[in-house]
């Protein structure tokens, strides 16, 4: 039996058995009062004002191109080797931010210079992507790691959109072809396993292909994308997910998909499993399959229940499904990516289904991350903690760690898929959703609905009107803010000591006003897009009804 403090030892979680265990009583379940606007603002501010400036300033190699990823706590470079999958992640990140958040020239410039370094030095000429290079681009480690390929694909696909460069799109497509060619033997000639003795396949590739397929689908033949998605869904949800365990295993037999009693065959990586479930939820949205979303939520809750350290908090890195000693010496460490991916899964699950247990887990993860991973002195967050939640390595980047990258979930509010929610394309509120969807089948009623919707968007909810109302109310409230801050910003309130996060500021008030105005400006166009997409409305109809 291992030392995970899971007293039952071997795994026996039945699928669907999501009852709360005793430790869940510690979670604050009064989640109806969670301030999502404030929460999104905190993540947005941390990303834009702290994390991104850290990488823009310290990671770019102005002499040779590409990025330094081995950064100490203060951002100083401690090693100049360049790791291809992290080079690809940084190109993808700044391209994605440029495409989806704001057209900041410095973001595009950062992505372009990294992409040119990758294009010139990152592969062997036939789009087999090395694992690592010297600072000036000479190969160090051969192309054994499939994730060098997958992140190069994502990088060039996203940059092709940002730059409108067909050359980058071609690199993404050629690399995606390489990934598919390697599915049966990802490491190729660099695989260390002796052929035929105990052939196993791992969870990582079908998992990442679930996400990669959506990242690149605008560049790839629809039939190929659909085929890839179906294959990966089968692998993730029917092969690596083991119904008898209620969990996902990292490796199975390559011969018959059976469980293997070996170190690799017994390994469970809760972070991988939880990350995969938000990929599956995204696919469920794309495919219009609420059943898939519901199953992903079920697996996610079972996994975090199993993987949570009941003694010290946080999620274990590796576990053994039979409760035996593990080969990974780092099995009980608490890693940055495990927790941020799990937080994304839980908040996405709540957004799509309204499941309050998921929201409670998100709150618990949020509290753990901001308490343990955030550096109180320098920008960016720590990546590696020991089991007790103490900083194990003070570095901010390395061979495996890049930016605390998935802060980006905080930009979702104006784009909330309200219409899809009400049409039953998520598992929530099924009865009313079915009624609404049925009414939309009546062409006359649908036309009346759209025209009334358009009338309201162009009048009551017109950006200029809503902004004017915000300004008017702001004029009434603003003079009182200073007095209100002076009155209530005390260390104690009614005799109760207040945490620092409760002490409001005038700047915080102004920030919230800015968020309201931003929402007023962006939301109407987003709703028009949702209407056209979900109801299949033509461009001419949209122009007639919405102007």
């Amino acid at each position: 039996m291992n030392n995970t403090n899971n007293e039952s030892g071997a795994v026996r979680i039945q699928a669907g058995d999501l009852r709360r265990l005793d430790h869940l009583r510690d979670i604050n379940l009064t989640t109806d009062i969670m301030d999502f606007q404030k929460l999104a603002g905190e993540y947005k501010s941390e990303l834009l004002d702290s994390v991104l400036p850290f990488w823009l300033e310290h990671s770019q190699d102005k002499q040779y191109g590409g990025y330094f990823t081995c950064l100490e706590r203060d951002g100083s470079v401690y090693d100049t080797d360049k790791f291809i999958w992290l080079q690809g992640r940084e190109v993808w990140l700044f391209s994605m931010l440029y495409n989806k958040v704001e057209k900041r020239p410095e973001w595009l410039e950062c992505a372009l210079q990294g992409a040119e370094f990758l294009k010139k030095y990152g592969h062997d000429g036939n789009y087999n992507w090395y694992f690592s290079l010297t600072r000036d681009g000479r190969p160090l480690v051969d192309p054994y790691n499939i994730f060098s390929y997958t992140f190069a694909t994502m990088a060039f696909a996203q940059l092709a959109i940002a730059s409108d460069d067909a050359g980058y799109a071609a690199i993404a497509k050629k690399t995606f072809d390489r990934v598919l060619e390697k599915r049966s033997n990802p490491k190729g000639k660099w695989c260390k396993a002796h052929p035929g003795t105990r052939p196993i396949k791992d969870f990582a590739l079908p998992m990442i292909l679930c996400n990669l397929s959506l990242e690149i689908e605008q560049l790839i033949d629809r039939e190929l994308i659909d085929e890839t998605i179906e294959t990966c869904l089968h692998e993730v949800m029917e092969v690596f997910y083991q119904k008898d365990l209620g969990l996902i295993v990292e490796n199975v037999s390559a011969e018959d998909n059976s469980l293997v009693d070996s170190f690799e065959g017994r390994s469970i990586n809760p972070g991988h499993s939880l990350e995969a479930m938000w990929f599956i939820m995204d696919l469920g949205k794309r495919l219009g399959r609420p059943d898939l979303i519901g199953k992903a939520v079920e697996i996610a809750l079972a996994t975090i229940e199993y993987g949570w350290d009941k003694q010290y908090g946080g999620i274990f890195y590796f576990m053994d499904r039979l409760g035996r000693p593990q080969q990974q010496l780092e099995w009980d460490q608490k890693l940055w990516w495990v927790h941020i991916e799990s937080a994304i899964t839980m908040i996405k699950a709540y957004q799509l289904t309204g499941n309050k247990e998921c929201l409670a887990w998100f709150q618990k993860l949020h509290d753990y991350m901001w308490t343990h991973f955030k550096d109180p002195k320098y920008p960016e967050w720590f990546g590696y903690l020991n089991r007790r939640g103490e900083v194990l390595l003070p570095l901010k980047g390395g061979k495996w760690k890049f930016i605390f990258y998935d802060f980006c979930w905080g930009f979702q509010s104006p784009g909330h898929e309200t219409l899809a929610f009400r049409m039953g394309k998520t598992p929530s509120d099924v009865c009313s959703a079915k009624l609404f969807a049925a009414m939309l089948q009546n062409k006359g009623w649908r036309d009346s609905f759209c025209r009334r919707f358009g009338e309201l968007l162009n009048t009551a909810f017109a950006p200029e009107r809503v902004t004017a109302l915000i300004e008017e109310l702001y004029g009434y409230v603003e003079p009182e803010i200073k007095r209100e801050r002076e009155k209530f910003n005390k260390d104690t309130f009614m005799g109760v000591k207040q945490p620092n996060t409760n002490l409001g500021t005038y700047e915080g008030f102004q920030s919230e006003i800015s968020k309201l105005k931003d929402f007023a400006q962006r939301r109407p166009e987003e709703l028009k897009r949702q209407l056209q997409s979900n109801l299949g409305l033509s461009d001419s109809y949209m122009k007639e009804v919405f102007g």
Side-chain angles (χ1 to χ4, degrees):
M1 181 173 176
N2 63 20
N3 295 320
T4 61
N5 204 41
N6 287 330
E7 296 178 357
S8 60
V11 181
R12 278 290 174 256
I13 298 179
Q14 296 300 315
D17 182 14
L18 301 177
R19 62 191 182 280
R20 300 178 192 273
L21 299 185
D22 289 344
H23 75 281
L24 272 178
R25 295 172 187 164
D26 298 332
I27 300 177
N28 177 13
L29 294 179
T30 59
T31 50
D32 289 335
I33 61 173
M34 184 176 284
D35 187 340
F36 291 108
Q37 285 274 41
K38 179 181 178 182
L39 197 63
E42 290 175 355
Y43 280 90
K44 182 176 181 179
S45 176
E46 189 71 16
L47 177 70
L48 296 185
D49 302 331
S50 175
V51 176
L52 290 179
F54 178 90
W55 288 89
L56 281 170
E57 178 182 354
H58 299 296
S59 75
Q60 296 190 77
D61 186 345
K62 302 296 185 181
Q63 183 175 354
Y64 291 102
Y67 314 106
F68 301 118
T69 60
C70 296
L71 304 179
E72 294 193 38
R73 183 181 182 186
D74 63 357
S76 56
V77 178
Y78 67 85
D79 195 288
T80 61
D81 288 350
K82 293 173 179 173
F83 306 95
I84 296 301
W85 72 336
L86 297 186
Q87 301 292 304
R89 276 178 180 258
E90 191 152 354
V91 173
W92 172 85
L93 176 74
F94 284 101
S95 300
M96 181 278 298
L97 291 169
Y98 183 82
N99 290 331
K100 297 184 178 180
V101 178
E102 189 177 335
K103 303 295 185 187
R104 294 194 186 185
E106 63 269 28
W107 290 349
L108 182 57
E109 290 167 9
C110 180
L112 285 168
Q113 69 88 5
E116 286 301 307
F117 181 85
L118 275 176
K119 178 182 174 182
K120 186 174 182 179
Y121 300 113
H123 58 88
D124 64 359
N126 199 31
Y127 299 100
N128 293 303
W129 296 84
Y130 299 113
F131 178 75
S132 62
L133 311 171
T134 61
R135 179 184 178 184
D136 59 358
R138 290 171 292 145
L140 280 173
V141 179
D142 281 329
Y144 82 94
N145 191 299
I146 194 65
F147 292 102
S148 297
Y149 297 68
T150 58
F151 289 116
T153 305
M154 288 185 187
F156 284 101
Q158 198 67 226
L159 185 57
I161 298 171
S163 63
D164 195 26
D165 189 318
Y168 293 142
I171 294 173
K173 288 191 281 188
K174 290 175 183 176
T175 304
F176 186 67
D177 289 341
R178 288 285 177 272
V179 172
L180 296 184
E181 289 167 7
K182 289 175 167 289
R183 275 189 293 186
S184 61
N185 184 15
K187 293 185 179 180
K189 64 182 180 181
W190 297 285
C191 181
K192 294 183 291 184
H194 187 79
T197 301
R198 186 193 288 155
I200 60 173
K201 59 182 181 181
D202 66 43
F203 175 63
L205 185 54
M207 175 199 77
I208 201 65
L209 278 172
C210 288
N211 181 245
L212 181 58
S213 297
L214 293 182
E215 281 284 330
I216 198 174
E217 66 175 330
Q218 75 277 6
L219 300 177
I220 304 298
D221 175 73
R222 177 65 178 269
E223 186 176 341
L224 176 59
I225 285 292
D226 289 346
E227 177 188 336
T228 303
I229 288 173
E230 284 304 312
T231 299
C232 293
L233 280 176
H234 168 73
E235 290 281 296
V236 170
M237 303 299 281
E238 299 179 41
V239 175
F240 289 95
Y241 172 65
Q242 298 286 314
K243 293 181 181 179
D244 290 343
L245 300 178
L247 298 167
I248 290 170
V249 296
E250 281 291 292
N251 299 281
V252 295
S253 168
E255 294 179 328
D256 59 6
N257 296 332
S258 62
L259 291 172
V260 178
D261 190 1
S262 67
F263 281 119
E264 295 83 4
R266 295 191 301 270
S267 181
I268 290 177
N269 184 326
H272 260 173
S273 303
L274 285 158
E275 178 183 14
M277 290 305 99
W278 76 257
F279 296 167
I280 297 298
M281 290 179 210
D282 280 351
L283 287 175
K285 286 174 60 179
R286 179 195 180 278
L287 299 171
R289 288 186 54 186
D291 62 305
L292 199 56
I293 295 172
K295 187 63 178 178
V297 172
E298 177 185 319
I299 295 172
L301 286 170
T303 301
I304 199 165
E305 179 76 66
Y306 171 69
W308 189 261
D309 185 342
K310 312 302 189 295
Q311 184 174 354
Y312 294 104
I315 301 170
F316 288 113
Y317 190 13
F318 289 102
M319 302 180 76
D320 186 289
R321 63 181 172 83
L322 296 180
R324 295 173 181 169
Q326 295 160 85
Q327 62 176 331
Q328 297 95 344
L329 300 180
E330 68 276 18
W331 68 271
D332 65 347
Q333 290 178 17
K334 311 295 167 61
L335 271 65
W336 87 103
W337 72 264
V338 171
H339 293 79
I340 194 67
E341 298 288 3
S342 301
I344 292 165
T345 296
M346 291 302 162
I347 199 65
K348 187 181 289 285
Y350 176 73
Q351 181 189 39
L352 293 174
T353 70
N355 186 307
K356 290 187 177 180
E357 190 170 358
C358 294
L359 186 59
W361 270 114
F362 170 78
Q363 180 178 325
K364 192 166 188 176
L365 286 160
H366 168 84
D367 292 343
Y368 185 89
M369 291 189 302
W370 285 76
T371 301
H372 294 87
F373 287 106
K374 182 172 170 57
D375 186 341
K377 184 174 182 181
Y378 293 101
E380 243 292 9
W381 291 27
F382 298 117
Y384 302 91
L385 312 176
N386 63 21
R387 181 178 178 184
R388 295 183 297 276
E390 301 159 340
V391 176
L392 189 64
L393 297 171
L395 56 81
K396 296 297 177 59
K399 183 177 180 179
W400 307 106
K401 182 189 183 295
F402 170 47
I403 193 170
F404 209 76
Y405 50 91
D406 279 311
F407 277 122
C408 306
W409 74 270
F411 291 99
Q412 295 179 30
S413 296
H416 184 269
E417 293 285 347
T418 311
L419 189 62
F421 182 89
R422 297 314 313 158
M423 290 176 68
K425 293 185 178 181
T426 74
S428 296
D429 203 5
V430 172
C431 294
S432 62
K434 286 182 177 179
L435 176 62
F436 181 55
M439 293 171 72
L440 286 172
Q441 298 303 310
N442 183 301
K443 293 182 179 179
W445 190 90
R446 182 175 61 185
D447 181 65
S448 297
F449 170 80
C450 290
R451 291 182 185 279
R452 178 59 174 159
F453 208 126
E455 178 185 351
L456 290 171
L457 281 183
N458 292 327
T459 55
F461 299 107
E464 59 272 18
R465 180 178 184 274
V466 176
T467 301
L469 287 171
I470 293 171
E471 291 281 10
E472 181 181 355
L473 292 171
Y474 172 82
Y476 297 138
V477 174
E478 192 276 338
E480 298 297 319
I481 291 297
K482 184 177 180 180
R483 284 195 291 265
E484 191 265 353
R485 296 298 84 188
E486 290 174 349
K487 180 177 180 180
F488 293 106
N489 274 18
K490 307 294 183 183
D491 289 338
T492 60
F493 179 67
M494 297 183 69
V496 179
K497 183 172 177 57
Q498 297 294 297
N500 289 336
T501 53
N502 283 2
L503 306 183
T505 64
Y506 182 78
E507 290 75 17
F509 166 71
Q510 294 287 1
S511 175
E512 295 300 316
I513 296 297
S514 295
K515 291 176 191 175
L516 290 174
K517 291 180 180 177
D518 178 66
F519 188 89
Q521 292 294 321
R522 294 168 57 191
R523 185 61 172 167
E525 288 303 314
E526 174 60 25
L527 286 173
K528 292 176 188 178
R529 182 197 65 77
Q530 291 183 29
L531 277 167
Q532 185 170 20
S533 173
N534 284 284
L535 301 184
L537 305 177
S538 67
D539 289 341
S540 58
Y541 183 86
M542 291 296 296
K543 185 175 182 180
E544 174 191 349
V545 174
F546 297 95

